[in-house]
Amino acid sequence: MTKSLTEQRKSTPRRMVLCTALVLAALMGGALMLPGNASFAGEGIAIPAPSLDEAANAGTETAIFAGGCFWGVQGVFQHVGGVISATSGYTGGEGANPSYDMVSTGTTGHAEAVEIVYDPSKVTYGHLLHIFFSVVADPTTLNYQGPDHGTQYRSAIFPTNAAQSKIAKAYITELGAAKVFGAAIVTTIEPQAKFFPAEDYHQDFLTLNPTYPYIVVNDLPKVADLKQLFPGDYKTNPVLVMK
């Protein structure tokens, strides 16, 4: 059963912390001091493309990325040309059929992730990685992205075959050597794990809730960065799960 927006807010308390204040600060052109080591999504960054990539063959392949809250990860890749579907879910942990409430405890080992089905003749795995590191996730923050803290919000890549693992490892090595981020990359490459789709109310969340404070502050800027940094890949109409 799809939850109402009120129920969604009750089930995602961390994501609502300071969101209203952030929106007001942004509208006023001011800065907001955050408690402790809290931080929020930054701007996209132009980085080199990977030198190693898969062949641009016709057909379909699957990629799985985790980069903090899956609302924004899904929202970005739904706007990438060549992506056939992008589904929010959970992977990398123990136990079957994880729920949002279970994963949110940070005790299951799962990460909020997005499973991407794509056409390599239109967008390759290496290019998806290029987009991931450029506009989706900060690869230098360990076990948190923006306002979301915990292992469930880690930056991670889950290769679905040996070729993807090789490409991802090579690219992280290249980016580290180039020192484009100014800090060490902590994004993990984890063995293929079973992917569990998230609840329906999490699917297409960015598209369905563009004025939701968390989306305004943390995720719409990522879509804007995609359009700016990868104009040839950006498509206006996203591919949706709940059709």
Side-chain angles (χ1 to χ4, degrees):
M1 180 182 296
T2 301
K3 292 187 177 182
S4 68
L5 188 57
T6 298
E7 290 173 312
Q8 293 166 28
R9 285 171 176 165
K10 289 180 179 178
S11 68
T12 56
R14 182 180 295 276
R15 291 176 187 165
M16 289 304 297
V17 174
L18 299 179
C19 279
T20 301
L22 279 166
V23 173
L24 291 174
L27 291 174
M28 295 173 64
L32 180 67
M33 297 301 294
L34 303 175
N37 62 348
S39 62
F40 286 78
E43 298 180 352
I45 179 173
I47 60 176
S51 59
L52 180 66
D53 204 349
E54 66 183 345
N57 296 324
T60 60
E61 295 287 349
T62 300
I64 302 175
F65 301 138
C69 172
F70 44 28
W71 293 345
V73 181
Q74 181 191 46
V76 168
F77 284 111
Q78 286 181 318
H79 282 279
V80 175
V83 169
I84 299 167
S85 67
T87 305
S88 290
Y90 315 106
T91 193
E94 299 180 356
N97 302 315
S99 67
Y100 177 74
D101 288 339
M102 292 167 56
V103 173
S104 293
T105 65
T107 61
T108 69
H110 292 91
E112 290 195 12
V114 173
E115 181 183 68
I116 301 160
V117 178
Y118 65 99
D119 180 349
S121 69
K122 297 179 180 179
V123 60
T124 61
Y125 184 71
H127 196 57
L128 292 175
L129 285 173
H130 192 191
I131 292 171
F132 175 77
F133 284 114
S134 297
V135 305
V136 174
D138 182 344
T140 69
T141 55
L142 182 63
N143 294 332
Y144 77 91
Q145 290 288 313
D148 302 311
H149 289 234
T151 57
Q152 67 271 33
Y153 300 114
R154 64 188 181 274
S155 170
I157 298 166
F158 298 87
T160 62
N161 55 53
Q164 288 186 359
S165 180
K166 184 176 181 179
I167 293 166
K169 290 178 181 177
Y171 193 34
I172 288 177
T173 298
E174 289 178 348
L175 292 176
K179 300 185 183 303
V180 294
F181 295 109
I185 295 175
V186 297
T187 301
T188 56
I189 300 175
E190 303 183 26
Q192 182 178 357
K194 183 173 176 57
F195 179 85
F196 300 91
E199 297 82 349
D200 286 351
Y201 69 90
H202 282 301
Q203 306 300 341
D204 309 324
F205 197 92
L206 182 149
T207 299
L208 297 176
N209 302 279
T211 61
Y212 196 60
Y214 181 97
I215 296 296
V216 172
V217 174
N218 295 282
D219 295 333
L220 288 181
K222 297 178 183 180
V223 178
D225 288 338
L226 171 70
K227 187 175 183 180
Q228 178 181 0
L229 293 173
F230 299 91
D233 298 296
Y234 179 82
K235 59 183 179 184
T236 302
N237 296 321
V239 291
L240 300 178
V241 176
M242 309 301 291
K243 299 178 181 179

